[in-house]
Amino acid sequence: MPMKSIASFNRIAPAARWSFSSVVQRCLLVVPLGIGSLATNSFADEGMYPISELERLQLPQKGLALQPSEIFNPDQVSLVDGICRVNGCTGSFVSDQGLIITNHHCAFDAIQKVSTADKDYLTSGFVSRSHVEELPAAGYTVRITEQYEDVSAKVLSSVDASMSATDRTKAIDKRRKELEKEAETKHPGLRAEVAEMFTGKTYVLFLYTYLKDIRLVFAPPASVGAFGGETDNWEWPRHTGDFSFLRAYTTPDGSSAEYSPDNIPYRPKRFIQVNPQGAEEEDFVFILGYPGRTLRQRTASYFEFEQQIRLPEIVRYYSWQMQEMEKAGAQDRSVALNHATRYKSLANVEKRSRGQLLGLTRTGLIETRRQEEEKLKKFIASDPALEKRFGGVLERIGDVYAEINRSAKQEIALRELRTACRLFSFAFTIVDAVHERQKEDLERESPYMDRNLPLTTKQLQLDIADWHPDTDRIFLRGLIDILNGFPQDSLSPRIVKWLDSIDTSDESLKSWMASTRIGDASFAVKCLEMTPEQLSALNDPALQAMLSLYPEYLRLRELDKEREGKLNPLYGELQDVKQKFQADAFVPDANATLRLTYGRVRGYSPADAVIRTPISTLRGVLEKTTGIEPFISPKEVIQKAKQKEFGPFVHPRLKDVPVAILYNTDTTGGNSGSPVLNHKGELVAVNFDRTFEATINDFAWNESYSRSIGVDVRYVLWITGIVYGADHLLKEMGL
Ligand code: ASP
């Protein structure tokens, strides 16, 4: 179906026309005082702003040569129409033929899935010379924001003060699903999602176009796209060409459909113009994208939980799994390929967690937050009316975290059992789907609702295709050992009984894994359709194991809902009183909805006597290239760099091809692949990372240490055009 624009949405439902400002003002969270201070700050500000907030930011005074309405205008096509979400990342349309630029690490899974030991596109890179050579990116979707509406009142009308915490979570959840279903019926072809903007307070319904036929167009070799590997990940200076091109396709009538050879390139309403001149130090830049999640409004008690339990546990579990995958893949490239996507994502989070642990200590965040909270408590106590309404709110939040802390390590271990051990992850999906499908659609957990089941099924098939039983056996045994290491009385009797029943000898686990049939994707998919009775009658060992553990996982799910039900209204109260206390401008935490952040290309000083400049060049690629992983460069890159075959992509001052740039915007995961735009809204880089110090951004942003990293457009064009000869793509982008 033809896409409806935001403009048409406004015609359809003028009463529902939503302004984020009105929501914010209703919450009294942004007040003129804060905005005034924003206006005078010429550097950058904390904030991933919802796109409807742009007028307030006074961007033209800060260097933008566009009017905010050219970036976002609910009544006309504007720059945001050229931005899309690519799975968990962001991308930009860079031609009128649906060509998308995003990161290599965002396209990584697609490249891995089409690679084999013989045709290894991760190693060699992939260049399609025409549309017919483009390869399906299995499991990829592209989402474009079309419309939005404030539905806070509708969501919150489903709850009242008499409800238990669990019932409150369930009621909100159900109401959100009802609204999504209603909206999808009203706007066939669009997908609806209700996002929580301010915890427990404001909800916005977004309508998206979802494109499902996505194809791989161009990827540099991983020795360019992931140059420096995990050694350089989250670091500056950086020399990684972290970009790839994809293309979205639709049916000939323009509607969204699964892959078909008859599909045609998608025609975006707007595409982003690439500017081959890139950016210079101190230039104004802004980023549009879909930042995933930040936790800046959390309390000191939450950050303590992160510091003492969650982050160290992640580092421990993930580094162990990474080591095992490295060993397994060392001798056999096809095994390494099976593990590649998972390895990369674990490694990314593991190093980020280490950065966050360091950041918590370095910034003294917990202590600072505690001092702020002490002042807030005094403020509340100073007024009987405030005391009556908000007294004890911080203590009550602290009580919930204290309860979470008590069993957190055991819960993390149980969750790892059904994620690290892939067989248990498949078994869980099957058992959960079969039980949930017995319920009414709206009562089900989201992955099993009719609208989501095809995606869940596809993901299960793709995951099974990468299953490697030998590594999985190591994970299963390791997790059983970890669970056995807890005092018995800290685990539920059901878990203890299951642990007692397992023979962890290699032989036994081997034959146990060999006798399950769910490693066969077509069988697993058939299982999804069964009733609980049919599933149990199969007597499949992996499914039997999961059936006996399942009640425990249900208990954990209920516990999560209960905690969420307690915390959400408390955080809502906290925001209210904080606003009364410190008339301050603060914006909602990231929640995977479209946001803008802005700043300047700028270096920083991460430590005493250390100064980092903000543009890296090809010279650095050559300097880092040792020929030893992860610092191997393709010979064609080395050759062209040494011969200074730079073409028009030279930085006039540095007399070299710029590779990456650094800027002081406010980004997080999900901003990977976001366009870095100059003052005219042209693409000058593609965001892909942050510095090690900036990993703490997710909890607290600060201009002195928060820096994001993008691959310079000149490196993108040099690699694509000059090194790998894909001039047709440059032409397609109008260059
Ligand atoms: N490289 C990052 C990621 O993968 C992007 C970021 O968090 O800034 O999540």
Side-chain angles (χ1 to χ4, degrees):
M1 56 153 265
M3 276 189 306
K4 287 181 185 154
S5 67
I6 291 174
S8 67
F9 172 63
N10 283 323
R11 279 198 299 277
I12 294 165
R17 191 182 195 148
W18 176 69
S19 142
F20 191 80
S21 320
S22 63
V23 177
V24 173
Q25 274 160 359
R26 190 151 46 69
C27 294
L28 296 173
L29 285 171
V30 172
V31 298
L33 188 71
I35 295 302
S37 67
L38 295 185
T40 54
N41 183 346
S42 62
F43 307 136
D45 294 298
E46 171 173 11
M48 302 164 174
Y49 295 92
I51 44 164
S52 50
E53 285 304 284
L54 307 190
E55 295 288 347
R56 298 172 158 273
L57 303 177
Q58 305 181 4
L59 293 176
Q61 276 102 306
K62 296 174 181 171
L64 180 72
L66 303 172
Q67 285 312 308
S69 59
E70 295 174 77
I71 298 176
F72 169 66
N73 182 341
D75 300 318
Q76 266 168 31
V77 171
S78 48
L79 208 59
V80 299
D81 292 306
I83 312 298
C84 56
R85 187 162 148 94
V86 182
N87 285 7
C89 292
T90 301
S92 324
F93 290 109
V94 284
S95 86
D96 62 358
Q97 293 288 307
L99 187 68
I100 296 168
I101 190 163
T102 186
N103 291 146
H104 182 271
H105 81 261
C106 300
F108 191 89
D109 194 34
I111 312 168
Q112 182 226 312
K113 294 272 184 317
V114 292
S115 293
T116 59
D118 298 335
K119 252 193 192 167
D120 186 349
Y121 296 125
L122 273 179
T123 302
S124 63
F126 175 76
V127 188
S128 64
R129 301 277 160 202
S130 66
H131 288 181
V132 284
E133 287 178 21
E134 296 170 2
L135 295 175
Y140 274 63
T141 54
V142 159
R143 188 175 91 171
I144 304 145
T145 302
E146 299 288 357
Q147 311 169 7
Y148 53 83
E149 180 192 350
D150 174 16
V151 290
S152 311
K154 291 182 188 168
V155 170
L156 293 172
S157 68
S158 66
V159 294
D160 64 56
S162 69
M163 282 177 161
S164 71
T166 315
D167 288 347
R168 185 187 152 90
T169 308
K170 287 185 178 167
I172 290 186
D173 215 44
K174 187 167 175 205
R175 191 74 193 110
R176 286 168 75 165
K177 289 176 187 158
E178 279 165 4
L179 291 168
E180 287 165 355
K181 204 165 186 169
E182 249 169 49
E184 285 180 5
T185 315
K186 199 155 130 203
H187 304 283
L190 294 186
R191 189 177 163 89
E193 278 166 31
V194 173
E196 184 180 60
M197 304 304 282
F198 285 107
T199 311
K201 289 189 81 69
T202 49
Y203 299 84
V204 172
L205 173 92
F206 287 88
L207 279 167
Y208 299 106
T209 289
Y210 245 81
L211 301 175
K212 293 180 279 197
D213 181 355
I214 312 303
R215 303 187 197 171
L216 182 64
V217 175
F218 176 94
S223 50
V224 171
F227 180 74
E230 288 312 315
T231 312
D232 268 12
N233 196 13
W234 304 108
E235 304 284 349
W236 182 263
R238 197 64 166 274
H239 298 86
T240 312
D242 195 347
F243 74 94
S244 288
F245 290 98
L246 303 171
R247 192 186 304 279
Y249 281 76
T250 63
T251 59
D253 73 0
S255 37
S256 170
E258 296 287 342
Y259 171 85
S260 155
D262 300 331
N263 285 349
I264 58 163
Y266 168 68
R267 303 205 62 113
K269 278 186 277 193
R270 167 80 195 250
F271 67 89
I272 308 290
Q273 185 57 54
V274 167
N275 183 336
Q277 262 127 47
E280 172 59 304
E281 190 163 350
E282 283 304 310
D283 277 359
F284 172 88
V285 286
F286 67 102
I287 289 178
L288 287 163
Y290 289 91
R293 189 166 145 84
T294 51
L295 302 158
R296 300 195 187 146
Q297 320 292 350
R298 299 281 173 114
T299 55
S301 50
Y302 174 77
F303 293 138
E304 266 167 355
F305 162 68
E306 285 281 354
Q307 186 177 45
Q308 286 161 17
I309 300 183
R310 203 186 74 86
L311 292 170
E313 289 292 273
I314 287 183
V315 172
R316 179 165 82 102
Y317 279 106
Y318 289 12
S319 51
W320 160 58
Q321 291 171 54
M322 285 154 55
Q323 275 168 21
E324 294 301 339
M325 288 187 205
E326 276 164 29
K327 278 192 245 160
Q331 306 306 329
D332 186 338
R333 179 64 184 156
S334 57
V335 173
L337 282 172
N338 285 145
H339 292 323
T341 299
R342 243 187 107 62
Y343 179 90
K344 198 169 171 64
S345 103
L346 293 185
N348 191 43
V349 176
E350 190 268 345
K351 191 164 177 189
R352 184 186 68 198
S353 304
R354 281 191 280 124
Q356 290 174 332
L357 277 168
L358 208 72
L360 280 168
T361 314
R362 192 174 44 81
T363 59
L365 178 62
I366 297 178
E367 195 40 44
T368 317
R369 184 67 40 110
R370 201 173 289 122
Q371 285 166 10
E372 287 162 11
E373 289 172 359
E374 281 312 312
K375 286 188 195 145
L376 185 66
K377 282 186 201 165
K378 284 198 184 119
F379 172 71
I380 296 174
S382 70
D383 178 337
L386 289 177
E387 180 62 34
K388 187 157 181 259
R389 185 158 161 221
F390 300 111
V393 62
L394 283 160
E395 290 79 352
R396 277 178 283 144
I397 291 176
D399 289 345
V400 181
Y401 290 126
E403 181 210 312
I404 291 174
N405 285 354
R406 272 195 288 279
S407 51
K409 287 193 177 163
Q410 286 84 341
E411 288 174 26
I412 291 171
L414 283 169
R415 286 181 220 274
E416 280 299 310
L417 180 65
R418 74 163 177 80
T419 44
C421 173
R422 304 309 291 150
L423 190 61
F424 273 29
S425 156
F426 313 149
F428 179 80
T429 302
I430 295 169
V431 171
D432 205 23
V434 162
H435 285 84
E436 287 293 308
R437 286 182 64 246
Q438 303 302 304
K439 302 180 187 166
E440 286 294 317
D441 196 39
L442 285 177
E443 304 286 338
R444 295 180 201 163
E445 291 298 312
S446 168
Y448 314 110
M449 290 174 70
D450 291 341
R451 65 203 279 267
N452 297 328
L453 208 53
L455 270 180
T456 306
T457 307
K458 198 167 178 187
Q459 195 54 52
L460 179 65
Q461 288 169 302
L462 291 170
D463 288 346
I464 290 176
D466 282 336
W467 186 44
H468 187 249
D470 288 344
T471 320
D472 221 22
R473 207 168 57 243
I474 296 172
F475 292 160
L476 178 57
R477 196 179 30 245
L479 283 155
I480 291 172
D481 288 348
I482 290 172
L483 284 164
N484 271 324
F486 288 114
Q488 276 212 352
D489 60 2
S490 72
L491 296 171
S492 77
R494 188 182 310 277
I495 297 295
V496 175
K497 191 167 159 217
W498 180 75
L499 289 170
D500 285 345
S501 72
I502 292 276
D503 174 356
T504 55
S505 69
D506 214 38
E507 274 323 296
S508 151
L509 288 185
K510 222 180 213 163
S511 78
W512 187 83
M513 280 204 174
S515 55
T516 176
R517 291 173 65 199
I518 63 168
D520 167 0
S522 55
F523 180 76
V525 170
K526 275 193 206 123
C527 291
L528 290 174
E529 314 259 294
M530 293 181 183
T531 62
E533 295 70 33
Q534 288 168 325
L535 200 69
S536 148
L538 290 175
N539 242 329
D540 183 281
L543 292 173
Q544 279 320 114
M546 188 45 69
L547 281 166
S548 53
L549 294 173
Y550 188 58
E552 180 65 9
Y553 286 118
L554 288 184
R555 187 183 71 79
L556 293 183
R557 181 182 276 162
E558 286 292 296
L559 210 55
D560 281 346
K561 289 188 202 266
E562 186 188 322
R563 290 165 181 167
E564 195 186 322
K566 284 182 189 162
L567 284 172
N568 279 11
L570 290 172
Y571 269 112
E573 279 180 39
L574 185 63
Q575 271 164 11
D576 280 351
V577 70
K578 262 188 176 173
Q579 196 284 322
K580 288 181 195 295
F581 178 51
Q582 49 184 174
D584 204 356
F586 69 99
V587 291
D589 268 313
N591 61 354
T593 58
L594 188 55
R595 305 292 179 98
L596 175 142
T597 169
Y598 65 93
R600 288 189 184 270
V601 178
R602 181 170 293 176
Y604 77 131
S605 169
D608 184 37
V610 178
I611 296 202
R612 299 262 155 97
T613 54
I615 305 180
S616 67
T617 61
L618 256 182
R619 187 185 116 199
V621 176
L622 293 180
E623 284 171 358
K624 278 186 180 171
T625 300
T626 56
I628 299 165
E629 279 292 1
F631 295 104
I632 301 174
S633 289
K635 60 179 183 327
E636 48 277 27
V637 169
I638 298 176
Q639 202 183 21
K640 300 239 189 263
K642 282 194 173 155
Q643 288 166 356
K644 296 197 186 308
E645 271 189 57
F646 298 155
F649 306 118
V650 192
H651 189 289
R653 183 171 51 85
L654 301 170
K655 309 273 183 276
D656 198 349
V657 178
V659 173
I661 60 171
L662 196 65
Y663 33 87
N664 60 2
T665 56
D666 185 357
T667 62
T668 186
N671 271 123
S672 286
S674 298
V676 182
L677 302 156
N678 67 10
H679 61 300
K680 292 194 281 188
E682 298 162 335
L683 187 144
V684 291
V686 182
N687 185 72
F688 69 93
D689 208 7
R690 281 170 282 160
T691 57
F692 202 53
E693 298 76 28
T695 52
I696 193 72
N697 261 11
D698 296 352
F699 303 152
W701 184 92
N702 190 298
E703 209 279 331
S704 68
Y705 59 72
S706 291
R707 289 293 181 279
S708 306
I709 305 171
V711 52
D712 192 296
V713 71
R714 287 161 284 194
Y715 194 52
V716 170
L717 299 173
W718 185 74
I719 289 283
T720 307
I722 295 194
V723 179
Y724 292 105
D727 291 328
H728 59 290
L729 294 179
L730 272 57
K731 228 185 241 160
E732 186 179 336
M733 291 184 273
L735 303 176

